[in-house]
Amino acid sequence: MAFNLDSKTPEGPLADKWTNHLFNMKLVNPANKRKFNVIVVGSGLAGASAAASLSELGYSVDCFCFQDTPRRAHSIAAQGGINAAKNYPNDGDSVRRLFYDTIKGGDYRAREANVYRLAEVSNSIIDQCVAQGVPFARDYGGLLDNRSFGGAQVSRTFYARGQTGQQLLIGAYQALSKEIAKGGVTMHTRTEMLDVVTVDGQAKGIITRDLVSGEIKRHAADAVLLCTGGYSNVFYLSTNAMGSNVTAAFRAHKKGAGFANPCYTQIHPTCIPVSSEHQSKLTLMSESLRNDGRVWVPKSKSDGRPPADIPEDERDYYLERRYPSFGNLVPRDVASRAAKERCDEGFGVGESGLAVYLDFADAIERLGEDTIRARYGNLFQMYEKITAENPYKVPMRIFPAVHYTMGGLWVDYNLQTTVPGLFALGECNFSDHGANRLGASALMQGLADGYFVAPYTVSNYLGEHGEMQADKKVTTTHPAFDEAEAAVVARTERLMAVNGTQSIDSFHKRLGLIMWDNCGMGRTKETLTKALEEIPKLREEFWNDVRIPGDDKEFNIEVEKANRVADFLEFAETMCLDALTREESCGGHFREEHQSADGEAQRDDENFAVASVWEYKGEGERPELSLEQLEFENVKLTTRSYK
Amino acid sequence: MKITLHVWRQKDVNSVGKMQRREVNDISQDMSFLEMLDKVNEDIIIEGGEPIAFDHDCREGICGMCSMMINGRAHGPDDGTTTCQLHMRSFQDGDAIHIEPFRARAFPVVRDLVVDRSSFDRIVQAGGFISANTGGCQDANSQLIPKIDSDLAMDAAACIGCGACVASCPNGSAMLFVAAKMGHLANLPQGQPERYTRARNMITQMDAEGFGACSNHYECEASCPKDIPVTFIGDMNRDVLKANTCSSAK
């Protein structure tokens, strides 16, 4: 049965939609709010801000995270900044311009109304964060400072040194802590969600595993919010944290939530290149470095000279050459592909030839080393720790790496998935970034969803569908919970019973290679078909030969990993299928068959101005595709040009 | 590289732990310390043993999840570095490396090198926040904050909550952590209304969790991966004193 993908976008002019919608929503009487229990899975920017805000309203909230404390969620690693349409620098920014840049940056594959709302609430986020004590950078007069970022020609990015993510997360975590102290939120740390429980098609709770004791537990609720981040780790090597996973989203998908555009993955252009086969993760260097750093490769192939010995006229500043108006500040997908193109042609640098230079020599000469240190000191230090090279003296070597996933659970304008009562916020949903996310927009979206969208739309859902009477509520004794728990237990038992010879990590690495080689920066029908043949074989091998040491009724990191990798092994197939079905190039999805003569992505708006939403049909079965047609009434679809 | 590892193994909080020796070959200088442990674990799993449990997540020095005392130093021998940022090039071929969990009364061992640091969360819940509910905030630029104050707040806010300060302190004191949390908010105008109740409540909770007191060893500052200075402890003590003595701060 195909999904009914009604986006529930409100009527009226773009700029009035959210205001009208707010007025038309159902409210819940303050005295009744405490009768509703809301589950929030994940405690990053989206999860922590949603849990805190819902508790402030009076709802009874249970919040879950797999880390030892909610403050460690991977939002913390965002470096560069957060966008808002404040126009403090007086350079011509506005809500409309932020909306336009974001929808264009996403290569016209996002829903207009959602993106406009994101731009609209962006300013409130900054106000909220400052009120919480987020120490954003300031100028000498005491006003907030802004910087520019890829894909925009205005300076609208607020930042806190190189650790904006950590500071915003601490803000949300402190708000969450305040609510935990008040008793409004019950926090469950070191706990992982393993299933969503649905009753008559509505989300009514979750099943979790306590990662310390191994105990499987049931939790009932009137609504469930998934704020569980993205799935970049399907590639094994990515800039995501080691624990980041698709499990919660994928298990929800298995229970009926449509998964939209899984092939939209963002490859970030400025990461530290892979150095050895033992590499466990990749490290990103903030895109803000491209404000002052110049990207180049030698003009001659396999030029073995040290960078300092290569004279100016023998260097190819290829971004400045190809994109004179945006130069080094082109969006991420464009910068990544350009780097890949140079390396594929044999101009790459470093031992592997899979790197390009990011050079600060000009900026240091112009501004002085102290200014560069003040702007990027911690990033330079981080680079030096990993590579043992001093970027003040030698240009950085960078290469693209998987960083963010624009695809995610399909949600309507209310952030509700195709399962009523199940919401998805932040990177977990597909909603705002289309086929490519602009820098400094992930933090904005996570906090927009958590602080300023979900508190209203979840209230509206509870006002319309919530059961207030305690004796009529679904409890954990409902047969649906028995069934879901039994399935979780059976799956874990099945995993433990394999008792094979190969480690979980070895399977994860192999899956990552299949995905990177065939569904990475460039994809073709041939590579995707190959991946679709290899993944089921690897999955079968996993289920026949994986070794999980120890017991599942104890603290056992291998059991955690096994569950996550098993889900990646299924999910990867849907991803490749989506990439194969989308016969166009757009944003982070580059099908090599669909490119212009000069190597730019070629969209097919006639056939693919759609969100592709997949419905789970069983393991190894082909998922069913439904389409949401994207309507563009306020922007004109043009070829994205940064020239 | 060849190294000899001595690792703390402990099944759970109620078990008795012990150091376990293991010879490790084929280590590359470019591996991170945690990648070295990944390789050791991979070998242990293939041999049929149980891997060494350790906390880690972002592996880029910001989430604060990784811990470990490495040869007696929290986060290992390099200054201003978390364990995940440490690389094997900081060691010599043939070295013996001793790895233990962060030890403190308030950090019970969960398994092997994993400890329970939830006491930090409870200290923050006692008052380490600004009570600004979502919505209704004034424009972010309506209040000027001198850059010097904002920078100072940011210096303190750089704390990643890893607990190295506690593990390094001979008293198992959490003073640097608590001072960093307070220093972040106390240096901003938004933090003023609750400044002294915050100081009182956080210190009370810190004591209740079983952390020791400060006796000026400064081991915390030396081990802090974010180089947070002990001067914040002085600022905190002044606030706590004022909170406990001055009627204006009640």
Side-chain angles (χ1 to χ4, degrees):
Chain A
M1 192 188 76
F3 285 126
N4 169 22
L5 298 175
D6 177 5
S7 72
K8 302 204 175 69
T9 301
E11 296 296 319
L14 190 61
D16 297 338
K17 284 181 193 290
W18 181 232
T19 313
N20 292 344
H21 193 54
L22 286 174
F23 180 73
N24 290 326
M25 279 201 247
K26 284 256 188 318
L27 297 175
V28 178
N29 175 330
N32 286 335
K33 287 197 175 98
R34 65 187 158 77
K35 295 177 185 165
F36 291 115
N37 186 34
V38 180
I39 280 175
V40 178
V41 187
S43 66
L45 286 182
S49 59
S53 303
L54 286 163
S55 168
E56 286 163 6
L57 290 173
Y59 296 108
S60 164
V61 178
D62 280 271
C63 184
F64 299 81
C65 70
F66 71 76
Q67 297 90 346
D68 67 334
T69 149
R71 77 175 302 291
R72 305 209 199 282
H74 196 58
S75 309
I76 206 164
Q79 298 165 357
I82 176 167
N83 285 333
K86 285 283 195 185
N87 193 31
Y88 286 158
N90 195 32
D91 55 0
D93 203 5
S94 62
V95 167
R96 184 147 189 117
R97 189 177 294 281
L98 175 54
F99 155 72
Y100 178 75
D101 286 349
T102 307
I103 208 145
K104 175 188 170 194
D107 221 354
Y108 306 100
R109 290 293 176 264
R111 202 185 282 145
E112 272 190 345
N114 286 54
V115 179
Y116 193 88
R117 175 179 62 193
L118 175 68
E120 216 177 337
V121 303
S122 66
N123 291 342
S124 305
I125 297 171
I126 303 302
D127 299 342
Q128 181 65 32
C129 292
V130 167
Q132 288 170 343
V134 171
F136 284 125
R138 288 176 184 270
D139 62 25
Y140 286 100
L143 293 168
L144 289 158
D145 191 25
N146 288 114
R147 64 182 170 199
S148 50
F149 240 70
Q153 287 174 316
V154 293
S155 290
R156 61 160 74 99
T157 304
F158 294 79
Y159 64 100
R161 289 195 193 148
Q163 48 172 273
T164 317
Q166 155 151 272
Q167 294 313 318
L168 295 176
L169 185 60
I170 288 176
Y173 159 75
Q174 289 178 345
L176 179 64
S177 298
K178 158 176 75 74
E179 295 304 307
I180 293 170
K182 271 192 207 156
V185 179
T186 306
M187 189 70 217
H188 307 260
T189 59
R190 292 200 196 268
T191 306
E192 186 151 27
M193 186 200 106
L194 291 181
D195 209 356
V196 174
V197 180
T198 57
V199 175
D200 299 329
Q202 292 192 326
K204 289 292 177 192
I206 61 172
I207 306 288
T208 61
R209 179 170 181 270
D210 180 321
L211 300 181
V212 176
S213 67
E215 193 187 347
I216 305 292
K217 283 186 190 160
R218 308 170 177 201
H219 310 267
D222 298 284
V224 176
L225 278 55
L226 298 185
C227 312
T228 53
Y231 48 85
S232 295
N233 275 348
V234 70
F235 291 93
Y236 183 69
L237 284 181
S238 83
T239 67
N240 278 194
M242 301 301 284
S244 302
N245 66 76
V246 78
T247 289
F250 192 70
R251 306 264 168 121
H253 176 53
K254 284 178 145 181
K255 279 292 172 80
F259 210 109
N261 305 329
C263 77
Y264 290 166
T265 47
Q266 178 162 81
I267 317 276
H268 195 288
T270 49
C271 300
I272 300 177
V274 176
S275 71
S276 82
E277 56 176 316
H278 297 293
Q279 194 122 1
S280 58
K281 81 152 274 172
L282 297 172
T283 303
L284 177 151
M285 309 297 300
S286 168
E287 174 170 323
S288 61
L289 290 170
R290 287 197 276 143
N291 272 313
D292 287 308
R294 298 179 69 195
V295 177
W296 65 277
V297 291
K299 276 187 181 163
S300 54
K301 286 188 187 183
S302 312
D303 189 327
R305 288 175 291 176
D309 295 349
I310 302 178
E312 197 61 25
D313 62 348
E314 290 177 41
R315 298 175 176 194
D316 177 13
Y317 294 91
Y318 59 87
L319 287 177
E320 297 167 30
R321 169 171 60 79
R322 284 178 67 177
Y323 308 101
S325 71
F326 278 69
N328 293 296
L329 285 177
V330 291
R332 292 173 173 177
D333 55 336
V334 177
S336 290
R337 273 200 300 279
K340 179 180 188 288
E341 189 272 336
R342 284 292 82 187
C343 294
D344 286 352
E345 292 298 314
F347 295 96
V349 300
E351 241 169 72
S352 62
L354 291 175
V356 298
Y357 289 126
L358 178 63
D359 198 336
F360 292 86
D362 286 357
I364 289 172
E365 199 180 310
R366 191 174 70 246
L367 304 163
E369 196 170 310
D370 288 346
T371 306
I372 295 299
R373 182 167 283 115
R375 283 186 191 167
Y376 312 110
N378 64 327
L379 299 172
F380 277 42
Q381 189 195 24
M382 191 161 89
Y383 180 86
E384 189 169 357
K385 271 181 192 155
I386 293 172
T387 62
E389 282 180 0
N390 177 355
Y392 294 100
K393 306 283 175 224
V394 187
M396 289 182 177
R397 278 176 295 114
I398 55 162
F399 196 67
V402 182
H403 170 57
Y404 185 90
T405 52
M406 284 74 66
L409 294 177
W410 182 89
V411 290
D412 62 15
Y413 189 72
N414 294 315
L415 305 183
Q416 183 168 257
T417 67
T418 51
V419 176
L422 181 68
F423 295 78
L425 281 62
E427 190 180 353
C428 183
N429 73 32
F430 89 116
S431 105
D432 293 353
H433 306 297
N436 174 56
R437 180 175 65 73
L438 290 182
S441 285
L443 303 183
M444 172 171 68
Q445 187 221 339
L447 291 180
D449 289 359
Y451 283 134
F452 296 110
V453 181
Y456 301 108
T457 60
V458 172
S459 288
N460 180 47
Y461 169 79
L462 294 171
E464 272 183 349
H465 304 286
E467 178 54 65
M468 259 182 304
Q469 292 188 20
D471 57 342
K472 289 190 184 158
K473 276 184 187 285
V474 170
T475 67
T476 54
T477 56
H478 191 281
F481 277 91
D482 295 340
E483 204 180 302
E485 183 181 322
V488 165
V489 170
R491 185 183 163 92
T492 312
E493 280 172 0
R494 197 179 142 211
L495 276 169
M496 299 304 292
V498 176
N499 205 11
T501 62
Q502 302 178 64
S503 74
I504 298 156
D505 283 355
S506 68
F507 283 104
H508 197 175
K509 281 182 192 176
R510 283 164 68 191
L511 174 67
L513 273 180
I514 296 176
M515 294 305 283
W516 180 248
D517 289 344
N518 301 300
C519 191
M521 248 191 296
R523 301 143 179 201
T524 65
K525 185 176 178 186
E526 195 187 346
T527 62
L528 292 165
T529 312
K530 184 163 162 248
L532 284 168
E533 282 164 14
E534 288 178 4
I535 296 164
K537 283 186 205 150
L538 185 65
R539 188 168 65 231
E540 198 187 326
E541 195 181 329
F542 173 89
W543 282 101
N544 285 313
D545 198 30
V546 71
R547 166 172 292 183
I548 306 169
D551 191 341
D552 65 302
K553 306 286 189 303
E554 60 179 6
F555 186 98
N556 188 336
I557 41 174
E558 297 297 309
V559 174
E560 294 170 35
K561 284 199 269 185
N563 266 308
R564 294 170 191 163
V565 173
D567 288 334
F568 277 134
L569 280 164
E570 264 192 88
F571 171 73
E573 227 180 317
T574 314
M575 221 173 126
C576 293
L577 191 61
D578 187 46
L580 185 63
T581 316
R582 186 168 284 277
E583 287 282 356
E584 64 160 355
S585 292
C586 58
H589 169 65
F590 191 70
R591 281 286 299 271
E592 288 173 12
E593 301 95 323
H594 304 287
Q595 56 179 308
S596 64
D598 52 355
E600 303 296 337
Q602 220 161 32
R603 290 198 320 263
D604 174 357
D605 292 333
E606 201 166 311
N607 295 304
F608 289 101
V610 293
S612 308
V613 188
W614 298 89
E615 183 176 4
Y616 187 78
K617 291 287 176 187
E619 191 177 327
E621 301 293 319
R622 189 189 165 94
E624 187 179 335
L625 177 63
S626 304
L627 301 175
E628 181 198 343
Q629 192 66 41
L630 298 169
E631 311 287 348
F632 293 94
E633 293 164 356
N634 299 275
V635 295
K636 197 164 156 274
L637 275 64
T638 55
T639 300
R640 220 161 41 123
S641 170
Y642 294 94
K643 297 187 168 168
Chain B
M1 288 171 78
K2 271 172 85 163
I3 48 169
T4 305
L5 282 187
H6 301 265
V7 185
W8 184 260
R9 303 303 305 261
Q10 182 174 340
K11 193 167 173 53
D12 55 39
V13 66
N14 298 315
S15 307
V16 178
K18 63 169 194 292
M19 296 299 278
Q20 199 177 63
R21 181 190 162 110
R22 188 180 172 92
E23 304 298 331
V24 184
N25 301 319
D26 300 330
I27 297 299
S28 143
Q29 292 230 323
D30 289 330
M31 279 180 172
S32 75
F33 192 81
L34 296 184
E35 283 163 4
M36 180 274 291
L37 282 181
D38 288 343
K39 181 186 158 9
V40 170
N41 275 344
E42 181 82 13
D43 294 346
I44 293 176
I45 291 167
I46 298 306
E47 287 162 16
E50 293 196 16
I52 303 159
F54 60 91
D55 265 333
H56 65 105
D57 202 24
C58 80
R59 294 207 179 186
E60 50 188 86
I62 193 73
C63 77
M65 192 137 179
C66 62
S67 46
M68 301 189 204
M69 294 298 278
I70 300 167
N71 288 341
R73 262 197 87 178
H75 294 299
D78 295 358
D79 290 340
T81 303
T82 57
T83 297
C84 66
Q85 293 175 303
L86 179 65
H87 279 67
M88 293 311 290
R89 65 179 84 95
S90 298
F91 299 90
Q92 303 291 324
D93 190 25
D95 272 0
I97 303 177
H98 292 74
I99 314 175
E100 293 172 82
F102 277 0
R103 294 187 194 281
R105 184 148 55 121
F107 287 173
V109 172
V110 175
R111 187 182 176 110
D112 298 341
L113 305 170
V114 176
V115 297
D116 177 354
R117 289 168 283 189
S118 54
S119 44
F120 273 12
D121 284 336
R122 290 188 292 273
I123 293 173
V124 173
Q125 287 155 20
F129 46 76
I130 288 169
S131 298
N133 281 4
T134 306
C137 302
Q138 60 185 351
D139 183 84
N141 253 351
S142 60
Q143 192 169 24
L144 299 178
I145 303 181
K147 186 167 172 13
I148 191 169
D149 294 346
S150 169
D151 283 350
L152 199 56
M154 182 64 223
D155 288 345
C159 168
I160 56 173
C162 65
C165 46
V166 174
S168 306
C169 176
N171 306 332
S173 168
M175 293 286 254
L176 188 61
F177 168 75
V178 181
K181 294 280 113 191
M182 279 188 211
H184 164 199
L185 302 177
N187 280 297
L188 294 170
Q190 297 90 330
Q192 299 314 307
E194 296 163 289
R195 180 171 180 172
Y196 298 102
T197 46
R198 177 183 308 122
R200 208 162 30 232
N201 292 341
M202 288 180 83
I203 283 288
T204 305
Q205 187 64 34
M206 180 186 85
D207 289 342
E209 295 289 346
F211 290 104
C214 175
S215 49
N216 298 313
H217 289 268
Y218 296 178
E219 293 287 343
C220 51
E221 181 183 288
S223 71
C224 176
K226 297 296 157 189
D227 297 324
I228 295 173
V230 291
T231 47
F232 283 111
I233 298 181
D235 295 344
M236 174 178 76
N237 284 338
R238 190 187 55 197
D239 276 11
V240 173
L241 187 66
K242 191 168 175 189
N244 288 332
T245 52
C246 300
S247 53
S248 65
K250 290 285 176 192

